[in-house]
Amino acid sequence: MTAHYFIATLKPIPEYHSSENNYPFLNGEAYKESLPFTLPYVYEVYELGGEDIELITFLDSFMGIGDVVERYIFEEGRQGYPLSHNYPEEARTINLFKKTYKDQYGEYQLDSKKWKEELSRRTIASKRSVTTFVKY
């Protein structure tokens, strides 16, 4: 089994297409047909399996007011058959501007000073649903 971590963005991430790329993004277009994303630019994210706080920090700095980013884990089984499924009822929405986390059980206000640490302890990526980050 192989797990791939993806994000999809409304706008391209041009600084990560250069040779000085110091963040682990790769083009995810090869998987685009298999992913439940609604946004046009797809990137595979490496080396962040357990480092959610790094991704949260990056997204907070990358996203402007009104931006949307989606995150999903795609697991491949033998011979490339997908093991991931999309259950929209399990989707999460994280508002980086209001510092809120919403899942199928309710919406939670994160601590305004320790929100990144608090958010990194929650499930922010799944092979069962898309997590949507918004900033508005």
Side-chain angles (χ1 to χ4, degrees):
M1 176 180 72
T2 304
H4 301 273
Y5 297 82
F6 290 96
I7 63 170
T9 63
L10 273 174
K11 59 185 179 185
I13 308 175
E15 61 269 26
Y16 299 106
H17 291 254
S18 69
S19 60
E20 291 108 33
N21 177 355
N22 62 358
Y23 205 79
F25 285 108
L26 293 177
N27 189 323
E29 290 294 317
Y31 288 90
K32 198 170 185 176
E33 296 294 320
S34 304
L35 301 172
F37 288 138
T38 60
L39 302 176
Y41 300 99
V42 178
Y43 298 92
E44 186 168 1
V45 184
Y46 279 102
E47 304 300 325
L48 292 177
E51 302 299 327
D52 287 335
I53 199 158
E54 289 180 23
L55 181 66
I56 294 165
T57 301
F58 165 74
L59 291 177
D60 190 39
S61 65
F62 168 72
M63 294 173 69
I65 300 298
D67 276 347
V68 177
V69 172
E70 296 172 329
R71 182 154 192 231
Y72 184 69
I73 298 173
F74 181 74
E75 289 187 352
E76 286 181 316
R78 293 190 175 155
Q79 300 175 358
Y81 295 114
L83 299 175
S84 299
H85 302 283
N86 185 32
Y87 299 104
E89 66 275 8
E90 295 182 20
R92 294 162 186 84
T93 302
I94 298 167
N95 189 321
L96 298 177
F97 184 73
K98 293 181 180 178
K99 314 294 189 260
T100 58
Y101 175 92
K102 182 179 178 182
D103 62 14
Q104 71 264 33
Y105 304 110
E107 186 169 357
Y108 310 94
Q109 183 67 50
L110 302 169
D111 183 283
S112 63
K113 294 180 183 172
K114 301 182 287 187
W115 69 274
K116 288 181 187 178
E117 294 81 12
E118 189 176 338
L119 185 56
S120 70
R121 290 190 297 269
R122 295 186 179 264
T123 302
I124 63 168
S126 171
K127 68 176 186 172
R128 295 178 52 89
S129 64
V130 173
T131 299
T132 304
F133 292 86
V134 297
K135 198 169 194 179
Y136 50 80

